[in-house]
Amino acid sequence: MYLPFLRGKQYELLALRELSTLPLDFSKISPIIEPVKKELKSIATAIKIMDKLGVIVQLVVNPEHGDLKKSNDQIFDFIEQMSSDGHENILPTYLISNERDFTFLKVNGEARDHFNTGYSLIHLNQISSANDLKALVNSTEIRFNIIHVNHLIALRRGYTNGTLGFLSDPFVKQKRNVDYEDLEDEIFSSDYFHYKNEGFSVFSDYLSIGAGFMEGGMLPYAVVIHLTYKDEHSDDIRIKHFLSDSNEDASDTAGKFGEALTKLVAFIDEEHIHTIASEHFRDYHNRGAFPGLGMLKKLSIMHHIELIQSLI
């Protein structure tokens, strides 16, 4: 099972909503959403759509980033309201990075009855109270117990409860888009192929956008489109970075997009890649249209989820 880790930003949620219209096997997917905006209407819409498909959404209740970093009550109130409205497909998900997070889990898991009704954990770091955390987890109704690969060996030992999984960040983020010029094609991951043989029932990643969080930004000197694909000669998923050519200044973003898009379309035609995202890219190319930079991220996310779903 695949647990794509998404941030509650506009185009990431739009990707999830648009994928809901496809004939995918949604029993293979349970998205994790970290809410980063005070306005939760878009997340509510996505959850309602996922509910119709029978998909569990793991909603982070103590986000690391964004407007709701210290506004946990708003998230808990949102979950309760959604439940009152008949949407029971939200799984409260706790990030564990430090001792404070562990205390937060103990207090709220007990007070809000999550230890009986179900919850998920994502271990981002090791903590001093690791043994106490394991004892708590092994005595409560945890659904997904996900460990960041940086601490996989140390933290997977001793857990007997819940569905064990891991979270990875295979996307190698460059400081500037133009820096992808020397990294046009690279290995992304083979987690989809190995996770079951390595004793896990689920796996998660930050898709083709990476774990780094950035709010807004300036117009780029270079436009790059990231696209994952299955290597036909191995079990690897690789990622290609399609970079614009006229990267001397920040002018003509639409023209830069057209340069990168021409390279992408040539590749997907050569490789006979057909996903909902690839068809959108072909359509933009045929019409000479520029949908905006946010749309590129949305299509990259959609393509990656559809690719993973087809492989597991």
Side-chain angles (χ1 to χ4, degrees), residues 22-164:
L22 300 180
L24 303 181
D25 184 353
F26 284 96
S27 66
K28 298 179 179 180
I29 299 171
S30 176
I32 301 166
I33 299 178
E34 179 183 7
V36 295
K37 298 288 187 181
K38 287 183 180 179
E39 179 54 67
L40 297 173
K41 288 183 179 179
S42 294
I43 290 181
T45 300
I47 288 171
K48 291 173 184 177
I49 291 172
M50 292 293 103
D51 194 13
K52 292 179 180 179
L53 299 169
V55 175
I56 296 295
V57 175
Q58 299 176 59
L59 186 66
V60 173
V61 295
N62 58 329
E64 280 195 311
H65 305 287
D67 300 338
L68 297 174
K69 187 175 180 180
K70 296 182 180 180
S71 302
N72 314 106
D73 287 342
Q74 182 179 344
I75 301 173
F76 286 127
D77 291 345
F78 170 78
I79 294 174
E80 291 179 8
Q81 183 60 55
M82 292 292 289
S83 178
S84 298
D85 293 341
H87 301 288
E88 301 286 352
N89 63 320
I90 305 176
L91 194 61
T93 300
Y94 294 82
L95 303 180
I96 301 294
S97 291
N98 48 52
E99 292 293 330
R100 184 175 62 254
D101 290 338
F102 181 34
T103 300
F104 180 81
L105 167 67
K106 288 187 291 185
V107 171
N108 288 281
E110 179 70 31
R112 301 176 188 279
D113 204 32
H114 296 161
F115 291 154
N116 292 315
T117 59
Y119 66 101
S120 287
L121 283 189
I122 300 177
H123 306 263
L124 297 178
N125 287 307
Q126 298 188 64
I127 63 171
S128 299
S129 303
N131 290 334
D132 293 336
L133 176 58
K134 289 176 184 177
L136 176 66
V137 167
N138 291 336
S139 63
T140 54
E141 293 300 318
I142 187 169
R143 292 282 297 278
F144 295 101
N145 194 15
I146 305 158
I147 302 169
H148 195 285
V149 293
N150 288 355
H151 308 285
L152 193 58
I153 300 303
L155 288 180
R156 71 175 295 176
R157 302 186 186 111
Y159 285 106
T160 60
N161 223 8
T163 298
L164 192 64

Side-chain angles (χ1 to χ4, degrees), residues 246-261:
S246 53
N247 304 324
E248 293 78 18
D249 55 41
S251 65
D252 193 16
T253 303
K256 297 177 192 294
F257 167 69
E259 294 168 352
L261 183 62

Side-chain angles (χ1 to χ4, degrees), residues 172-183:
V172 181
K173 177 71 173 178
Q174 300 300 318
K175 290 184 178 180
R176 305 171 304 163
N177 284 349
V178 73
D179 294 334
Y180 290 103
E181 184 175 8
D182 297 324
L183 297 166

